[in-house]
Amino acid sequence: MLLLTPLLAACSSGPSESDVENLIEAQYEQAGSMMDNAMAGAGNDEMARAMSGMMAGMMPTLESVENVNCDTIEGDNTYMCTADITQTVAGNSRTDKGSFKVYQVNDEWVLGM
């Protein structure tokens, strides 16, 4: 029975730490892109540009993703992951532990909400 444990563990491979880091980085990049588009859409309207600039300063910037841990839930392709996420918001850096689902769909990892 003890010989099967390493074999089973090797067969059920969850997302790697770098997979999870890449998924989180992609979320921050998407939010940044949305903010860039909103600022570009402000055009020459002085008030809209001022509001966009203020909002851009409040957008979080990802610094690091550490201590990633994922456990399988709800079947073979769904994982509950936790990570320490350090971000800067309005010039202040802070680290929070985040908890989120990661799914494997068509051999690709997807971040759940």
Side-chain angles (χ1 to χ4, degrees):
M1 187 68 149
L2 293 175
L3 295 175
L4 293 177
T5 303
L7 181 62
L8 291 174
C11 291
S12 61
S13 173
S16 69
E17 186 165 338
S18 65
D19 289 331
V20 174
E21 288 174 10
N22 290 337
L23 290 170
I24 293 170
E25 287 173 6
Q27 287 291 313
Y28 277 80
E29 289 171 8
Q30 182 179 12
S33 177
M34 289 171 51
M35 181 54 64
D36 290 344
N37 289 340
M39 289 178 69
N44 291 329
D45 183 339
E46 190 72 28
M47 179 63 88
R49 284 189 301 156
M51 291 297 292
S52 294
M54 183 179 73
M55 292 299 293
M58 294 171 45
M59 288 295 294
T61 302
L62 181 65
E63 291 181 35
S64 66
V65 179
E66 299 174 324
N67 301 321
V68 175
N69 182 40
C70 296
D71 295 312
T72 185
I73 60 169
E74 301 174 7
D76 294 336
N77 297 327
T78 305
Y79 295 82
M80 180 58 75
C81 300
T82 58
D84 295 331
I85 300 173
T86 303
Q87 62 183 1
T88 300
V89 179
N92 298 313
S93 178
R94 68 184 267 178
T95 301
D96 294 302
K97 182 166 284 295
S99 178
F100 41 87
K101 287 184 181 178
V102 175
Y103 304 92
Q104 189 172 33
V105 179
N106 297 328
D107 295 327
E108 290 188 32
W109 293 108
V110 179
L111 189 60
M113 295 293 133

